[in-house]
Amino acid sequence: MWSGSQQRRLALEKQILEKNFRSVRWHEPTRRGATKVDVNFNTNAGNRYTLRLYVPADWPNSCPQLAVVSSSKAMRKRNGDALPTGSGAFHTLGTIDGCHCICHFEPSSWDANNTMYLVFLKGRLWLEAFENHHKTGYDIDHYLKHM
């Protein structure tokens, strides 16, 4: 169970997300350490993705993980090779539940005032950089700075 202050913060996060995104889905919202939030995105190229934020048990004090859990485009590099699962050039940080985790903040630089909304916005930027990689062949770090 989330603490009282965490419940208030999660309620605020829910309001912000639902105000700014059309498709928000919460998984296990009352189970501390197991809560996940999905948001669907359509990129400028028209491809559809779902990003999932894994809410850490000590939210908002730790940086959450963010993963691409579904996509209409294969999660592969332009040349067809597998997208690396731990790569600075592609801003990936391993996997969770079999899905690519993507970089949005340097965990050591995380600030408890950051919101889920900001994490998802950075995830959206990663998706656009991924799509541009497919157009140009440039690595994702050509488009995104390391945070």
Side-chain angles (χ1 to χ4, degrees):
M1 185 66 127
W2 296 103
S3 71
S5 63
Q6 287 176 310
Q7 288 177 26
R8 288 185 294 280
R9 174 64 184 264
L10 289 167
L12 176 63
E13 297 282 359
K14 184 175 188 289
Q15 287 177 346
I16 294 168
L17 291 175
E18 290 177 353
K19 177 183 175 190
N20 291 286
F21 299 121
R22 282 181 273 170
S23 176
V24 178
R25 183 169 180 234
W26 290 75
H27 304 270
E28 302 189 60
T30 60
R31 198 164 149 223
R32 184 177 181 172
T35 301
K36 299 174 272 305
V37 184
D38 291 355
V39 176
N40 297 327
F41 291 96
N42 291 318
T43 61
N44 292 339
N47 293 306
R48 187 169 175 83
Y49 297 86
T50 302
L51 296 180
R52 176 171 291 162
L53 185 147
Y54 291 79
V55 185
D58 65 342
W59 177 259
N61 298 313
S62 290
C63 185
Q65 291 180 296
L66 186 66
V68 182
V69 295
S70 72
S71 64
S72 59
K73 183 182 206 80
M75 296 304 294
R76 296 191 141 322
K77 292 168 54 174
R78 182 180 186 205
N79 66 6
D81 289 349
L83 187 66
T85 56
S87 167
F90 283 90
H91 291 247
T92 56
L93 299 168
T95 62
I96 188 168
D97 296 334
C99 302
H100 282 86
C101 286
I102 59 175
C103 182
H104 55 86
F105 275 97
E106 176 65 41
S108 63
S109 299
W110 177 259
D111 183 299
N113 292 315
N114 292 332
T115 62
M116 291 180 187
Y117 174 70
L118 183 55
V119 172
F120 280 114
L121 282 182
K122 288 186 168 204
R124 170 65 195 268
L125 291 174
W126 186 94
L127 293 173
E128 294 298 340
F130 176 68
E131 299 257 329
N132 278 314
H133 160 72
H134 277 268
K135 288 181 199 170
T136 66
Y138 290 122
D139 292 349
I140 289 175
D141 70 355
H142 177 82
Y143 302 101
L144 300 177
K145 301 281 184 211
H146 288 274
M147 304 290 165

